[in-house]
Amino acid sequence: MARKTMMGKIAKRSIVLFCMFLVLWGYLIAVLFKMQVLDYETYQEKVIEQMTVETKVIANRGNIYDTNMTLLATNKTAWRVFISPVDIQSAKYRSAAEDVFYRIRHGMSGDVAAQGLPQDQLIARGLSGILGVEYDMIIKKAAMKGRRDETIKNNVDEETADRVLAFVAKYNLHNQVHVVASSVRYYSYDNLASHVIGFTGSDGQGLYGLELEYDDKLTGTAGRYITAKDGTGGNMPFLYESYIDPKDGYSLVTTIDMRIQYELELQLEATLADSEAKNRVCGIVMDVKTGDILAMATKPDFNLNSPYVLDPLSLGRLESKEYDETSDEYKNLRRELLLRMWNNKPVTEIYEPGSTFKVVTASMAYEEGKVNLTESFFCPGHYIVEGYRTPIRCHKVGGHGSLDFAGGLQHSCNPVLMMLGGRVGRDLFYQYFDSFGFLAKTGIDLPGESNSYFHSKSALNAVELAVASFGQRFKVTPIQLITAVSAVANGGNLVTPRLVKAMVDKDGNVVQSFEPEIKRQVISKETSSVISKILADGVSGNGGAKNAYVKGYRVAAKTGTSEKFDTLNEEGQSYLRIGSCVAFAPAEDPQIAVLIMVDEPSPPFYGSVVAAPYVSKLMGVVLHYLGIEPQYTEEELKSLAINIGSYVGLEIGAAKSAISKLGIKYEVVGNGDTVTAQVPQSGSNLSKDTGKIILYTGNEIPKNNITVPDLVGKSAAAANKLLINANLNIRIQGAHNYSSGVGAVVIAQYPAAGQSVSKGTVVTVEFRHMDGTD
């Protein structure tokens, strides 16, 4: 009986245990079903993540070229050093004995293994010393959970990368420390076109300029390199590797012409130095028919290969504050100066255009029939707007007196332009202001373009209209101004300025072309032709822009000097100025437009002085470079310089004959039969009217017995007379139309006054008209 009872209990217990095991078995089956079926993909990803290491393969960033395929921006090889925190932590937490055994087994020397230094500290100590990075930063990154790729340093050079690899090999850190080749951006011409091209960050992402605007096109698509790891962290066979090719970014073909860009920057550097501008200078060269930007620059600029180094002007401002370099004031000011230095002034900054805007006012007035070419005006030096008692003055205090429409524009007469603005009226003026593109961004393919600041239509009352007519009390960008003037030049069409004309792949195949865009016709061809002629006649005659004259070319130009009303002195008056000049040529068939703007120049601050002469020099080079042949007037032909040859070694009769054919005078010194020396030397340029070559014969040699006279401030006639009397030749630079108006004066000479030279030496003088006040 007892036995039966015991057996019954055992049976019950067995049943209970069986049921428990059955439930447990069912639970296990359910868990396995969930893991293997329902959550299969989730756990598969976790297994793959633990078994595989994925390394991103950076795509090559596209190049940037100028319009002639000159390489402007490209890539060069650098190395990236990164660590795998997962592998570091795996090694770090082994037992000391196991760690020693592991290291010795893999080729480590016993003395190193015996050190027992934790692997994160070993790596931090080694890499910080080689790479010059902070020890604590490496320790912090080495402790990150679940991470296999933490960058320690980018853009490492080859020599340093080799030192890291040697460190890795010495301590068998192949799974913990990695060195991979990458590319770093390189700019072929350092500072040239820096504000246009822009630059990239340490991660290769575009930060400024075209690098930012077209970042998604330049970047391409990264590839991947996937490797499998075994239980010890070692690489598995090649069968388990996978490689996905990166897709390189597209390259940009820009409209920039580096030859023209170089010349523009040369002239901007000159006017920056001469004018001592406090708030930078900028310039644009634009194809008036297509909107292609042939050159664009701001000075001072910066080196694209080291963009975080301040330019000398900005650095001087920073150092003048004498802040401690660790202080917030120092850091904040430095950051502010960097941002200002990187700003592309022609696109991102607005300014009051001053009298350069009178081209637009005159165009709309003539287009609407509000004025004709024979109409007379009178300028007493001011103009009183109806309903406003205070006279608005002209820049010429005594007034221009009587002049016609053309004279009003050429001499930049404020009263004439105010009268024209009043005739156009508020509604039409506002309509044309919009039509010329001043109420919207131009659409140029650069980041950060600013829009204008102008009155609302309802606020454009009589006084506001009068002042706006001569370009004050509103602001536009330089790119808006040159785009509008290009419409006046090209027959009336407002074009969209552009910097990129095509994108190409790595094989040079065109992926996308960008065609010129005409937005609308603003004025008629007739108005365009009339205004162009008026402006060109002013340059070649006695207009305010005569410093923009270029011998052999009809240049249409307008200068301007605007006040900066947002900066006032203690008396509440503006004292800072902006001088500028906008021009296009050849006037009879315009091809290019040029704008140079000088922000806060030292006196004399007029655009006719600080901008027009540099526009002239730039135009002279660019028009010749573009293959536009000069068309000289009879007067210009008479004053053309003659390039002389070498007459040394010739019989005196042959030398005289050769020089006579050039139409140049000569003087023989000595009684010999053969020319033994000459002044000036071959290759010199002499004026056909006044030039003279001194030929030395026999034992006679040139002697430095003539003192160069002081010519600065002298008129052309006075300077020429002094040089002729001193038996010296003159070479003219600058204003070749030196006799126009009240006449140009000498602003510089070489050799300097007081130097001793020989008879016949060429003295180079630079003339400039100083009477323009625009």
Side-chain angles (χ1 to χ4, degrees), residues 116-174:
L117 192 66
Q119 207 166 82
D120 58 342
Q121 295 179 32
L122 173 67
I123 291 170
R125 187 176 69 178
L127 293 185
S128 62
I130 297 171
L131 300 175
V133 297
E134 293 183 3
Y135 175 94
D136 291 341
M137 180 269 287
I138 300 175
I139 291 292
K140 184 178 180 180
K141 289 196 172 187
M144 291 183 172
K145 302 296 183 182
R147 304 284 294 179
R148 291 186 179 275
D149 187 339
E150 281 298 318
T151 298
I152 301 302
K153 190 171 184 179
N154 282 310
N155 302 335
V156 175
D157 60 46
E158 185 173 5
E159 181 183 350
T160 305
D162 287 341
R163 290 175 60 197
V164 173
L165 290 172
F167 169 74
V168 169
K170 181 177 180 180
Y171 296 103
N172 194 31
L173 300 170
H174 300 287

Side-chain angles (χ1 to χ4, degrees), residues 325-461:
E325 291 188 15
T326 62
S327 67
D328 289 340
E329 291 88 350
Y330 180 92
K331 294 174 182 177
N332 291 335
L333 179 57
R334 188 177 188 280
R335 187 182 305 111
E336 179 187 326
L337 290 170
L338 279 173
L339 292 173
R340 187 184 302 171
M341 180 180 75
W342 294 334
N343 274 346
N344 189 3
K345 196 175 184 75
V347 174
T348 63
E349 295 186 17
I350 55 177
Y351 76 113
E352 298 193 28
S355 294
T356 56
F357 184 79
K358 292 173 181 175
V359 176
V360 177
T361 303
S363 296
M364 65 174 80
Y366 190 84
E367 178 73 12
E368 291 297 322
K370 304 298 183 181
V371 65
N372 59 62
L373 296 176
T374 60
E375 185 174 357
S376 294
F377 298 85
F378 183 79
C379 169
H382 63 270
Y383 181 70
I384 299 177
V385 179
E386 186 176 351
Y388 186 71
R389 293 183 178 181
T390 304
I392 302 176
R393 65 181 178 84
C394 184
H395 65 85
K396 188 171 184 180
V397 179
H400 291 96
S402 296
L403 30 61
D404 57 13
F405 170 57
L409 181 57
Q410 292 164 354
H411 292 284
S412 200
C413 179
N414 288 353
V416 170
L417 273 297
M418 285 189 276
M419 293 179 208
L420 295 179
R423 293 180 185 181
V424 171
R426 177 175 66 183
D427 292 344
L428 270 179
F429 190 95
Y430 197 86
Q431 178 183 318
Y432 272 100
F433 193 86
D434 184 19
S435 189
F436 269 107
F438 289 114
L439 291 182
K441 298 178 182 180
T442 65
I444 189 172
D445 45 344
L446 279 176
E449 182 181 7
S450 296
N451 203 351
S452 61
Y453 176 81
F454 193 63
H455 312 279
S456 64
K457 187 175 180 179
S458 59
L460 191 61
N461 298 314

Side-chain angles (χ1 to χ4, degrees), residues 24 63 113 144 240 296 362 393 401 459 463 468 488 491 558 692 713 755:
L24 181 62
N63 296 329
M144 291 183 172
Y240 298 95
M296 177 184 286
R393 65 181 178 84
V463 173
V488 176
K558 185 73 192 74
K692 180 191 286 188
Q755 287 193 24

